[in-house]
Amino acid sequence: MDVIVTGNRAELTKAREATGRGRYALVPTMGALHEGHRSLIRLAGEQADHVVVSVFVNPLQFGPNEDFSRYPRTFEADLAVCAEEGVRVVFAPAVADMYLPDRQVSVSAGAMGSVVEGAFRPEHFDGVLTVVLKLFNLVQPDVAVFGQKDAQQLALIRRMVADLDLPIEIVGGPTVREGDGLALSSRNRYLSADDRATALNLSRALRAGAVQRGPERIKDAARAVLETAARLDPPLLLDYLALVDPATFTEVAEDHRGEAILAVAAKVGTTRLIDNVVLTLG
Ligand code: AMP
C-alpha cells in the first residue's frame, strides 16, 4: 500500500478515513531517518494497526545559535524509508501550517525542563512539548513511540501525559547504535572521520561508567574517558555528565537504589551530540 502524505489537519482527517478503523500509532521525527527511527516505526507497528510518522523540523525547539537552518532535510529518502517500513501516513506540515503567526499559548516543561539538557538549551523542552502536544491533537494517536536516546524528552513527554491527562499511551524504544557504539543520530552526518573518532568517546565513557558500582565511581570512570577525549584533535568539548533519576532528571544520591540514567552531552567541532544509558544501582 502506498504511503499517504499529508500536510495539514484536513488531509490527516481524509487519510484516516481512507485508512480505516483500528489503533493508530504515531512516531514523531524531524526526518533524516536512520535505523533508530526505523526501530521505532517497527515498535509502533507492533502496538497498532496503522503507523503515522510525522516529519517536522520544529523551529520552536532550536535555540538562536543552534542548527535549525542547516538541520538535514532528506524528505524523499524519508518517504522511501516509510514506504519500506509499511507506514500508512506521513504527516509533514510546513512551519506556517503548524504555527499561527500570532500564536501565544505554549506548553511549559516546568523545573524538569531546565535541568541537565535543559540547562544548556533554554526553552528547548517547552518547544518539544508544544509541538508534541500539537501532533497528538492533530493525529489523535492511541499510542506514541519515542526513543530512549532522548531520555529527558521521553521522561518529559510521560510527565506531560500524566499532568495534562492526555489519553495516549507512551512507549519508549531502546537506543540503536553503530557496531562500535556510536548512537545513531541525524546529526552524525555532520561528522568528519576525525570528528567521529572523537565522538565515539561518548558511548565509551558511558560503558566505562556502566561497569562500576555506586554513583561516584560510575561518574569518575566516565569522566576519566571524557577528560582524555578532551585532549584529542578535534577535542571532545563536554557540556555535562550527569547521573539522574529517570523520572525527575535530578542527580541521584550516593545511596540511590534502582534505575538511574547516565547522560552525557558534548560538542565535537560544531556538532553537538547526546547519549545515555540506563543503569540499575544497588
Ligand atoms: P529526531 O528525528 O532526532 O527528533 O528523533 C525522532 C525520534 O527518534 C525521537 O523519539 C528520538 O528519541 C528517536 N531516536 C533518535 N535517535 C535514535 C536512536 N539512535 N535509537 C532509537 N531512537 C532514536
Side-chain angles (χ1 to χ4, degrees):
M1 271 186 288
D2 285 344
V3 183
I4 306 173
V5 180
T6 60
N8 56 44
R9 186 192 298 265
E11 288 172 11
L12 269 173
T13 306
K14 256 203 223 152
R16 277 192 74 135
E17 282 164 10
T19 315
R21 280 186 194 288
R23 218 169 124 79
Y24 279 78
L26 171 66
V27 182
T29 82
M30 298 203 298
L33 301 183
H34 52 63
E35 276 300 322
H37 299 114
R38 280 188 195 257
S39 75
L40 299 186
I41 293 170
R42 288 177 203 145
L43 191 54
E46 293 166 15
Q47 306 283 326
D49 305 295
H50 312 289
V51 177
V52 181
V53 169
S54 61
V55 175
F56 181 63
V57 185
N58 173 33
L60 257 53
Q61 70 189 71
F62 287 79
N65 299 316
E66 294 182 3
D67 56 348
F68 174 72
S69 56
R70 72 165 187 143
Y71 195 84
R73 288 161 172 88
T74 61
F75 190 61
E76 290 308 315
D78 294 345
L79 272 188
V81 168
C82 288
E84 270 173 42
E85 297 296 338
V87 170
R88 287 298 285 130
V89 180
V90 168
F91 179 52
V95 172
D97 287 317
M98 278 299 268
Y99 296 118
L100 298 170
D102 59 346
R103 66 171 204 93
Q104 296 199 32
V105 177
S106 59
V107 180
S108 163
M112 198 174 146
S114 59
V115 294
V116 193
E117 181 72 1
F120 288 84
R121 303 186 72 186
E123 296 174 41
H124 168 69
F125 288 117
D126 294 356
V128 169
L129 294 186
T130 299
V131 81
V132 168
L133 181 59
K134 284 172 69 73
L135 290 169
F136 285 177
N137 287 332
L138 286 159
V139 176
Q140 299 186 23
D142 301 283
V143 52
V145 181
F146 295 87
Q148 181 63 38
K149 162 78 167 33
D150 297 276
Q152 195 170 357
Q153 167 175 293
L154 175 58
L156 275 161
I157 287 163
R158 291 191 195 282
R159 195 67 254 166
M160 174 170 78
V161 164
D163 287 347
L164 303 184
D165 299 304
L166 306 183
I168 297 173
E169 187 189 333
I170 303 300
V171 171
T175 301
V176 177
R177 300 176 180 281
E178 308 258 19
D180 57 9
L182 186 70
L184 293 186
S185 161
S186 303
R187 291 185 169 100
N188 288 356
R189 68 187 67 202
Y190 301 147
L191 300 172
S192 69
D194 287 346
D195 290 344
R196 193 182 180 289
T198 295
L200 263 183
N201 288 286
L202 268 81
S203 56
R204 211 171 268 154
L206 297 177
R207 285 201 304 277
V211 297
Q212 296 294 325
R213 280 172 172 264
E216 277 316 315
R217 288 174 66 175
I218 289 170
K219 279 190 284 182
D220 285 349
R223 206 174 287 122
V225 174
L226 297 168
E227 281 168 6
T228 305
R231 295 191 288 272
L232 294 173
D233 181 19
L236 186 136
L237 305 165
L238 185 67
D239 273 354
Y240 61 81
L241 173 74
L243 185 65
V244 296
D245 184 306
T248 61
F249 267 73
T250 51
E251 282 280 337
V252 298
E254 190 55 28
D255 61 355
H256 180 84
R257 295 275 177 279
E259 283 198 341
I261 292 179
L262 183 62
V264 64
K267 281 195 211 71
V268 180
T270 54
T271 306
R272 187 171 181 280
L273 299 169
I274 62 171
D275 199 355
N276 70 88
V277 283
V278 184
L279 307 176
T280 305
L281 305 186

